[in-house]
Amino acid sequence: MRLVRCFIIGSESDLKIKSKMERQDPFAELLSRCAGGDRRAFEELYRMSSGRLYAICMGMLRREDLAEDVLQDAFINIWRGASSFDPSRGAALTWMTSIVRNRALDLLRSAHVQAGQMSDEFHDEDFASQARSPSTAAATDASAEAVARCMQQLKAPQRRCIMMAYYYGHTHDELSTLTGTPLGTVKAWIRRGLEKLRECLG
């Protein structure tokens, strides 16, 4: 009886923690409802997250048709795998983003898309609040311009690998596969490229 009671108490505690995490993360709550077959929750989840996830697809694939296909496939996987999401292991949007990224990577590895099609442009993304003060905006824009200017001084392979690693979130192993370049070479490009960026930015 004591073991059963401890198990029940432990289970109740886990459920309370999970419930609290879901309340703090609206995506997690929607995923929980999706796991129970709630299609309205799935529609709301799509409405709230598809814009951000589509932007990730476009950032990686640079083609609207491919981005739309990946997004559709990813949401099918999200619906089917909603019950496997564990809020104690991370945010729901992070979990969904990993599904999108993995699907896009699968496409990039296929024979239909080559890594060389990806743009080398530098993108400035504001991950914090969109409501920036004029002084903050000016400082941010100036910093972005400085980084963009220094990025253009790098050799194309260095610039591409740094962008793919730090903007798109690829690992060194993924970069090696996508570019068809030995892993050691990829690491060297990134290391030397970052050194040059530090020197350029002072």
Side-chain angles (χ1 to χ4, degrees), residues 73-85:
D73 289 347
F75 266 99
I76 290 174
N77 291 336
I78 288 169
W79 169 256
R80 292 175 176 171
S83 60
S84 67
F85 169 68

Side-chain angles (χ1 to χ4, degrees), residues 31-202:
L31 277 175
S32 178
R33 290 167 56 192
C34 288
D38 187 335
R39 293 187 176 276
R40 288 188 178 181
F42 183 65
E43 292 174 3
E44 180 66 9
L45 184 69
Y46 183 88
R47 186 190 67 78
M48 290 176 59
S49 64
S50 60
R52 270 185 266 190
L53 297 178
Y54 177 75
I56 292 172
C57 293
M58 277 297 295
M60 295 178 68
L61 300 169
R62 295 296 175 188
R63 281 178 50 181
E64 291 183 4
D65 57 335
L66 296 179
E68 289 171 359
D69 287 345
V70 164
L71 187 68
Q72 180 176 330
D73 289 347
F75 266 99
I76 290 174
N77 291 336
I78 288 169
W79 169 256
R80 292 175 176 171
S83 60
S84 67
F85 169 68
D86 182 357
S88 67
R89 300 181 63 181
L93 188 59
T94 301
W95 180 78
M96 292 190 292
T97 298
S98 69
I99 292 176
V100 169
R101 281 190 64 244
N102 289 337
R103 183 67 191 90
L105 283 173
D106 288 341
L107 190 59
L108 284 170
R109 293 189 184 105
S110 72
H112 304 293
V113 180
Q114 299 297 322
Q117 291 178 289
M118 298 177 67
S119 171
D120 287 335
E121 285 184 34
F122 176 78
H123 300 262
D124 173 36
E125 182 172 355
D126 180 14
F127 291 100
S129 171
Q130 296 297 319
R132 299 183 295 170
S133 67
S135 59
T136 301
T140 301
D141 292 342
S143 298
E145 289 178 6
V147 173
R149 184 174 62 254
C150 291
M151 286 285 285
Q152 292 304 316
Q153 296 180 20
L154 300 179
K155 294 180 180 179
Q158 291 176 322
R159 183 168 62 250
R160 183 178 295 113
C161 282
I162 289 175
M163 282 297 303
M164 292 168 73
Y166 291 95
Y167 183 74
Y168 299 122
H170 294 296
T171 65
H172 290 170
D173 287 334
E174 289 171 348
L175 291 176
S176 177
T177 300
L178 290 172
T179 62
T181 305
L183 180 59
T185 302
V186 168
K187 290 181 178 179
W189 281 346
I190 292 177
R191 184 180 67 254
R192 293 168 186 166
L194 291 176
E195 289 174 355
K196 290 183 178 180
L197 281 178
R198 281 193 289 268
E199 292 175 1
C200 179
L201 293 170

Side-chain angles (χ1 to χ4, degrees), residues 20-36:
K20 181 179 180 181
M21 289 179 174
E22 288 177 352
R23 286 196 301 271
Q24 294 173 344
D25 183 351
F27 296 109
E29 181 181 355
L30 290 171
L31 277 175
S32 178
R33 290 167 56 192
C34 288

